[in-house]
């Protein structure tokens, strides 16, 4: 390439694979301006302009925005430290995006499994609603920790906890139906046992609090598939919270 060579905007577009419209846009925002003009005002791009265009295209393939590229080329076209920091930031963004894609892949795989298990859209849509609700109250890390903790406990311990919890629900519903005061020691003892059953499934107070908040906000939806009337379970959640407050 001769340093005396010049290109019209159309010639540069064909030579570089960039559209004329893109070159006009680069000119408008000051990212790539033709180094020379003819007497009639037509753009003439120089070898220096072409090298700058190649740099712009290379940086775009790395995912940098036009604004970032403009700052990089304007401040220090050959500054490796600036380029290094930009690339590090871009790498962090890509790693975050990759994490989101992995999470979404697992999520969709699980949903496909549930679709295959369903014979009607109703149960699947309810499951989808509950999964969405679960994601609202727990972070991705918390959801993964809870799933890992459940796996560590194993199916036998999970089933044993369900049996103990079922018995507690029956006892507490009986107290609630009989209008037993929430500060009654018998109620406090049952609430303590309730929380003790849940403790092994959680990874800390934060997930416990999130779970209680989810039940308070959406007890009706969460109770749909339980063997007790939804309104009873919704009232029981409130009863439990009142009992916890009275014990403080």
């Amino acid at each position: 390439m001769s340093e005396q060579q010049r290109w019209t905007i159309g010639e540069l577009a064909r030579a570089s694979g960039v559209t004329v419209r893109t070159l006009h846009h680069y000119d408008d925002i000051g990212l790539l301006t033709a180094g020379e003009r003819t007497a009639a005002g037509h753009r003439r791009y120089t070898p220096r302009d072409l090298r700058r265009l190649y740099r712009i295209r290379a940086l775009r393939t790395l995912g940098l925005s036009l604004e970032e590229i403009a700052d990089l080329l304007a401040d220090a076209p050959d500054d490796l430290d600036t380029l290094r920091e930009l690339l590090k930031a871009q790498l962090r963004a890509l790693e975050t995006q990759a994490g989101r894609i992995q999470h979404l892949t697992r999520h969709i795989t699980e949903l496909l499994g549930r679709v295959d298990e369903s014979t009607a859209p109703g149960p699947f849509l309810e499951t989808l609603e509950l999964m969405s609700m679960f994601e609202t109250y727990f972070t991705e890390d918390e959801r993964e920790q809870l799933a890992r903790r459940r796996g560590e406990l194993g199916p036998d311990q999970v089933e044993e906890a369900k049996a103990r919890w079922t018995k507690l629900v029956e006892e507490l519903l009986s107290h609630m139906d009989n209008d037993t005061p929430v500060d009654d020691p018998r109620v406090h003892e049952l609430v303590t046992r309730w929380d003790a059953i849940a403790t092994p499934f959680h990874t800390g107070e934060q997930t416990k609090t999130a779970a209680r908040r989810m039940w308070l906000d959406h007890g009706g939806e969460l109770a749909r598939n339980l063997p007790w009337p939804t309104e009873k379970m919704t009232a029981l959640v409130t009863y439990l919270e009142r009992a916890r407050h009275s014990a403080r």
Side-chain angles (χ1 to χ4, degrees):
M1 178 175 60
S2 169
E3 288 298 318
Q4 281 72 45
Q5 190 171 357
R6 300 294 182 264
W7 294 268
T8 66
I9 192 169
E11 290 169 342
L12 185 66
R14 288 190 294 273
S16 63
V18 175
T19 66
V20 171
R21 182 176 181 179
T22 296
L23 291 174
H24 276 299
H25 178 59
Y26 288 173
D27 196 340
D28 291 340
I29 64 175
L31 183 59
L32 178 67
T33 302
E36 297 178 1
R37 293 268 183 172
T38 66
H42 299 299
R43 296 178 179 85
R44 290 295 182 266
Y45 291 89
T46 67
R48 184 172 181 272
D49 300 329
L50 181 59
R51 287 192 291 269
R52 182 180 175 89
L53 177 58
Y54 285 149
R55 289 188 179 189
I56 293 169
R57 291 193 62 189
L59 292 171
R60 284 293 281 167
T61 63
L62 297 176
L64 272 66
S65 69
L66 295 180
E67 291 78 9
E68 290 171 328
I69 294 171
D71 290 341
L72 176 64
L73 297 181
D75 292 342
D78 300 309
D79 184 355
L80 291 180
D81 290 335
T82 301
L83 179 59
R84 183 181 296 109
E85 292 307 312
L86 269 175
L87 293 179
K88 284 182 178 179
Q90 187 64 15
L91 181 60
R92 288 193 295 269
L94 289 172
E95 289 171 343
T96 299
Q97 183 181 3
R100 287 197 297 267
I101 291 173
Q102 289 177 353
H103 167 68
L104 186 59
T105 300
R106 291 194 301 268
H107 189 61
I108 292 175
T109 301
E110 183 177 351
L111 287 177
L112 283 172
R114 292 178 184 272
V115 169
D116 292 339
E117 294 169 2
S118 298
T119 57
F124 168 70
L125 293 176
E126 289 181 6
T127 299
L128 189 61
E129 179 183 344
L130 292 177
M131 291 178 70
S132 178
M133 186 187 306
F134 195 65
E135 291 183 352
T136 300
Y137 288 86
F138 298 94
T139 67
E140 182 179 346
D141 284 344
E142 289 171 343
R143 294 195 300 273
E144 291 178 353
Q145 290 169 8
L146 291 172
R148 186 163 54 248
R149 186 71 185 118
R150 185 183 177 95
E152 291 169 353
L153 291 172
D156 291 341
Q157 192 165 343
V158 170
E159 289 304 315
E160 190 268 339
K162 284 182 180 179
R164 287 191 290 133
W165 181 76
T166 298
K167 184 178 179 181
L168 277 177
V169 170
E170 295 288 356
E171 292 184 62
L172 282 162
L173 284 174
S174 176
H175 280 294
M176 188 180 72
D177 290 341
N178 292 326
D179 293 325
T180 303
V182 294
D183 58 356
D184 188 291
R186 294 171 297 171
V187 175
H188 284 175
E189 192 268 337
L190 291 173
V191 173
T192 299
R193 286 165 54 194
W194 176 295
D195 291 339
I197 290 174
T199 295
F201 292 87
H202 289 281
T203 56
E205 288 300 319
Q206 189 168 338
T207 56
K208 283 185 181 180
T209 301
R212 286 201 292 267
R213 189 168 64 250
M214 183 172 66
W215 268 97
L216 281 170
D217 293 345
H218 301 282
E221 297 94 321
L222 293 168
R224 284 176 189 165
N225 297 320
L226 296 177
W228 303 278
T230 299
E231 62 273 11
K232 285 270 190 183
M233 290 304 295
T234 302
L236 181 59
V237 170
T238 303
Y239 187 74
L240 285 168
E241 283 302 298
R242 289 172 54 210
R244 288 190 183 98
H245 283 294
S246 70
R248 293 173 182 172

